[in-house]
Amino acid sequence: MIGGNESCTAGPVPMSYLTCLTYILGEWTGVEHIEDYLSYAVYLLWVLFPLAVVFLLPGVLIILFYTSILLLHIYKRKNELKEAYSNDFWDGAKQMLATLWDGHGRIWHGYELHGAENIPEGPGLIVFYHGATPADCVYFMAKLLIQKKRICLVVADHFVFRLPGFKLLLDVHGVMHGPKEECVNALKKGYLIAIAPGGVREALFSDEMYTIIWGNRKGFAQVAIDAKVPIIPMFTQNVREGVRTLGGIKILRSLYERIRLPVVPLYGGFPVKLRTFIGEPIPYEPNITAEELTAKTKAALQALIEKHQKLPGNIFRALMERFQTQKKED
């Protein structure tokens, strides 16, 4: 019996391996001129490959999150005896994950943190603009832990607590789902807390104009008043150019409002320059109302956006800023 490779090379005109494979596939499927269909399939793959990449790249963040969870389980397994006798059992794990995320931020985005001196020594409520993903907030928390040895808690949307496998990660980092009493108690204990009042709605449906979408949310302001702490505005330059959403499609907005789950597709994952800017604190005032403090905070955040973000956002420009040595102030 003659093998496949041997039959292809036999005869006066030897076939190439690709031609041979096409011939065998045509014989096996019974499709005439199968090489025309294969050529068309290769052409489609060539055309659609860049599109597939921009939708798959955001998955790197998911991989990093689950890598973090795996490392926490390994850390816990290797230190089970220490857990019973130590109050700071997870400190080493937090440093390890901070190093992982800080490394990713610096390598992929050239991440920088500016204005860290505006963060008070005591408690405070950090209010930030929510990009399509919370990666910039994670980079900030990692940088703060590495540089200042300070832990910043964060308030997350309810759906995050339903993600499979995330419980250990959320517990270790003290992620909260946002009851006012819990936030006030944490602030009174001296913690920093980060919160994005726009939440998932702002993440999915804001745009390259960096529109702040808070609706009537003012609970964060009441938390700051009750805890008697300052509010610190925070904004990350180019955060919407790194990952974008298809939030402009009206049917997706209607679907989100009905089921309250982040069903809007993301695309991008581009290695754009990310710089986080910390604004001057808004001090606690005993006679201010939640509505007034909300307006004041929104104005401060809008000022940071206008100062540090060129509008509308542009992906190519954000990529080119990786090669700039000085941050843009205008």
Side-chain angles (χ1 to χ4, degrees):
M1 184 170 67
I2 300 175
N5 289 343
E6 191 177 344
S7 67
C8 287
T9 57
V13 184
M15 298 182 187
S16 68
Y17 281 103
L18 184 59
T19 305
C20 175
L21 183 61
T22 303
Y23 173 78
I24 294 173
L25 190 61
E27 290 291 316
W28 180 59
T29 60
V31 178
E32 296 183 0
H33 306 295
I34 194 172
E35 64 273 8
D36 294 335
Y37 295 99
L38 291 176
S39 297
Y40 184 64
V42 171
Y43 172 75
L44 281 180
L45 180 64
W46 179 76
V47 170
L48 297 177
F49 180 74
L51 185 63
V53 168
V54 299
F55 279 98
L56 291 175
L57 271 177
V60 173
L61 293 176
I62 303 298
I63 294 173
L64 274 175
F65 276 118
Y66 278 102
T67 300
S68 300
I69 294 168
L70 177 61
L71 290 174
L72 286 178
H73 281 288
I74 294 173
Y75 181 89
K76 183 178 181 180
R77 182 70 175 174
K78 290 178 67 66
N79 295 272
E80 285 180 342
L81 183 62
K82 181 181 174 183
E83 182 180 14
Y85 298 97
S86 176
N87 292 326
D88 56 356
F89 171 73
W90 291 110
D91 285 357
K94 291 176 182 177
Q95 288 285 346
M96 175 180 62
L97 296 188
T99 302
L100 171 68
W101 282 93
D102 183 60
H104 182 268
R106 286 189 292 110
I107 293 170
W108 194 246
H109 293 292
Y111 180 76
E112 299 174 9
L113 175 61
H114 298 275
E117 65 277 3
N118 288 328
I119 299 176
E121 293 295 329
L125 186 64
I126 297 173
V127 175
F128 65 97
Y129 171 86
H130 204 313
T133 72
D136 62 310
C137 183
V138 179
Y139 297 147
F140 159 73
M141 293 165 62
K143 185 76 74 176
L144 191 67
L145 182 59
I146 292 171
Q147 291 186 350
K148 304 289 186 181
K149 308 301 180 186
R150 295 201 64 182
I151 294 175
C152 180
L153 308 181
V154 65
V155 177
D157 192 270
H158 291 275
F159 90 90
V160 175
F161 295 85
R162 299 198 293 269
L163 293 175
F166 266 58
K167 185 179 187 304
L168 180 61
L169 182 66
L170 300 178
D171 289 344
V172 169
H173 288 86
V175 179
M176 301 177 288
H177 59 81
K180 293 180 184 178
E181 297 77 12
E182 185 179 358
C183 292
V184 171
N185 290 335
L187 289 168
K188 288 183 176 180
K189 292 178 181 178
Y191 285 104
L192 287 170
I193 296 180
I195 184 171
V200 176
R201 187 177 285 105
E202 185 172 82
L204 298 180
F205 304 111
S206 187
D207 51 27
E208 63 273 16
M209 295 304 295
Y210 287 79
T211 306
I212 296 174
I213 304 176
W214 287 3
N216 294 320
R217 293 184 177 178
K218 53 181 182 292
F220 73 93
Q222 191 60 56
V223 165
I225 293 171
D226 292 345
K228 301 180 181 179
V229 298
I231 286 180
I232 306 103
M234 182 175 81
F235 170 71
T236 300
Q237 183 186 68
N238 297 325
V239 67
R240 294 211 79 86
E241 277 57 72
V243 177
R244 287 192 171 177
T245 75
L246 299 180
I249 302 176
K250 292 183 178 179
I251 191 172
L252 294 178
R253 178 66 180 266
S254 300
L255 183 60
Y256 169 77
E257 298 297 346
R258 181 178 295 272
I259 66 176
R260 294 301 176 90
L261 290 175
V263 293
V264 178
L266 306 178
Y267 69 94
F270 306 114
V272 301
K273 184 68 177 183
L274 293 183
R275 298 183 179 96
T276 293
F277 295 93
I278 310 295
E280 294 184 3
I282 302 172
Y284 164 71
E285 298 178 25
N287 298 322
I288 197 170
T289 66
E291 290 79 6
E292 293 170 338
L293 186 55
T294 299
K296 205 170 184 178
T297 305
K298 187 174 183 179
L301 187 56
Q302 185 65 51
L304 281 179
I305 294 173
E306 293 173 358
K307 181 178 182 181
H308 298 293
Q309 182 65 53
K310 290 184 178 179
L311 300 175
N314 181 279
I315 294 174
F316 180 74
R317 183 177 64 232
L319 288 169
M320 291 301 98
E321 287 178 4
R322 289 294 302 271
F323 304 101
Q324 296 177 354
T325 56
Q326 300 292 327
K327 64 180 184 294
K328 290 293 183 181
E329 294 293 343
D330 52 3

